[in-house]
Amino acid sequence: MKNILFPTDFSKNSWNAIEYAIKLFKDAPCNFYVLHVDSLSRSGIESNSFVLPSKGINTALRDNLTDTFARIKTITTNKDHHFIALHEYGNLIDIIRKTVLDKKINLIVMGTKGASGIKETILGSNTGNVMTKVPCNLLVIPEKAVQCVPKEVAFPTDYNIFYSHSILEAISKMLRLTKAKLRVVNVTKSNVPLNDAQNQNMAYLQDYLLELFEKSHSMHNLKHEKAKSAIEQFVVREKIDMVIMVAKNLNFLQQLLFDTTIKKISFQTSVPLLVLHE
């Protein structure tokens, strides 16, 4: 049974994420936790009172949850899909960390805000913080993402990390779930060869994929001065439906996702992004 967490503010973007994940896991048994977090200032607690937040749910929140669950019923018929509402007060990241541990969460699914999807999400925002500060796999659904099961999945990598069992297993599970083809993408500058460690990591990854997904994967080595530009072009050209990246490879992740001059996430605005943690 897979345990999936939906942090929600009841926005259109939050609903898009819920809808995408339910369709993605339509045939898999899952517990879906719908989590809404309010600030402590809305809990009715006086400062320094040392009183635990009330678990009571106000009318507006109850109505939002009721509406969300009613909408969920229209898109799933799987009897092994179970939905549980959670309501907490406090810091969103702290609450998500605690929920991941308490509920044994396997995957967090979040939508992104703004007319341009993920581009409008600043680095210090909820999605960016969850991506870098919560040790749990995260599926980010941009506002303009197409509601479909992915058939082409890209895995950008610079081969600077060793691919642990947990990372490879997570990729394998997604490929088995979707029956998608995996495109491993590496970008190097002209006249800059891979070093020995990179070549070893590449060979290990290739051996693994040849054994399990011989006919449904390919390796792509692109020559370009800017990795982000090359991968964005690849995603468009190959009609990629999902991008998978490894959080452990933080330098590469930041290089591709974050525009450090303006501190914004600036990758694709319509392709779901799965960030894997060990």
Side-chain angles (χ1 to χ4, degrees):
M1 181 74 75
K2 197 171 187 69
N3 296 320
I4 299 175
L5 178 65
F6 297 126
T8 181
D9 58 3
F10 305 111
S11 65
K12 183 177 184 295
N13 301 293
S14 292
W15 172 253
N16 287 344
I18 292 173
E19 185 176 19
Y20 185 95
I22 290 173
K23 291 180 178 178
L24 181 64
F25 294 99
K26 61 184 176 65
D27 297 322
C30 297
N31 292 320
F32 295 103
Y33 292 90
V34 181
L35 171 67
H36 179 70
V37 178
D38 275 322
S39 64
L40 276 175
S41 63
R42 301 185 63 180
S43 68
I45 298 174
E46 298 290 337
S47 60
N48 299 324
S49 65
F50 299 100
V51 177
L52 291 174
S54 168
K55 294 296 182 181
I57 297 179
N58 62 42
T59 302
L61 177 56
R62 190 184 304 278
D63 289 345
N64 279 326
L65 286 170
T66 300
D67 178 63
T68 299
F69 278 43
R71 295 177 72 184
I72 285 171
K73 287 181 181 178
T74 67
I75 59 173
T76 180
T77 56
N78 190 333
K79 293 181 179 179
D80 289 324
H81 280 181
H82 307 286
F83 298 88
I84 303 97
L86 302 174
H87 179 225
E88 298 286 350
Y89 292 103
N91 176 271
L92 178 67
I93 301 303
D94 291 340
I95 296 297
I96 289 177
R97 283 200 195 105
K98 180 177 182 298
T99 305
V100 165
L101 292 174
D102 290 349
K103 305 300 182 184
K104 296 180 173 58
I105 298 298
N106 308 113
L107 177 69
I108 302 168
V109 183
M110 295 183 72
T112 57
K113 298 177 181 178
S116 300
I118 200 166
K119 186 178 289 187
E120 296 300 319
T121 306
I122 61 171
L123 178 59
S125 73
N126 294 336
T127 306
N129 278 330
V130 172
M131 185 184 297
T132 56
K133 297 179 181 179
V134 180
C136 181
N137 293 348
L138 171 67
L139 179 59
V140 181
I141 309 300
E143 184 180 44
K144 296 180 181 179
V146 177
Q147 296 283 344
C148 69
V149 175
K151 294 304 175 189
E152 292 285 340
V153 175
F155 180 47
T157 179
D158 59 5
Y159 298 126
N160 275 319
I161 62 165
F162 177 76
Y163 306 101
S164 65
H165 173 76
S166 61
I167 294 298
L168 295 177
E169 183 64 15
I171 294 173
S172 297
K173 285 181 178 179
M174 183 57 68
L175 296 181
R176 294 189 194 106
L177 177 72
T178 61
K179 297 179 174 58
K181 294 179 180 178
L182 182 70
R183 310 305 181 191
V184 179
V185 190
N186 170 254
V187 182
T188 55
K189 296 179 180 180
S190 299
N191 303 318
V192 180
L194 298 178
N195 59 38
D196 289 344
Q198 287 174 306
N199 277 314
Q200 288 177 2
N201 290 333
M202 180 179 67
Y204 180 77
L205 177 62
Q206 189 165 27
D207 286 347
Y208 178 87
L209 294 174
L210 280 171
E211 182 177 347
L212 295 181
F213 304 101
E214 181 181 2
K215 296 181 179 180
S216 58
H217 88 280
S218 56
M219 312 285 284
H220 303 264
N221 296 304
L222 311 178
K223 297 296 182 182
H224 201 287
E225 291 302 305
K226 293 185 178 180
K228 182 164 72 171
S229 297
I231 290 170
E232 285 181 334
Q233 292 167 14
F234 181 88
V235 166
V236 173
R237 184 174 66 250
E238 300 299 325
K239 298 178 180 178
I240 298 298
D241 303 305
M242 178 182 287
V243 174
I244 299 178
M245 297 189 69
V246 179
K248 180 181 178 182
N249 201 178
L250 187 59
N251 289 337
F252 187 58
L253 187 72
Q254 290 179 333
Q255 178 186 348
L256 291 189
L257 296 185
F258 301 115
D259 185 332
T260 55
T261 60
I262 54 176
K263 295 185 178 180
K264 286 187 178 180
I265 299 175
S266 57
F267 195 57
Q268 287 293 321
T269 61
S270 61
V271 180
L273 171 69
L274 176 61
V275 180
L276 303 179
H277 289 257
E278 291 187 283

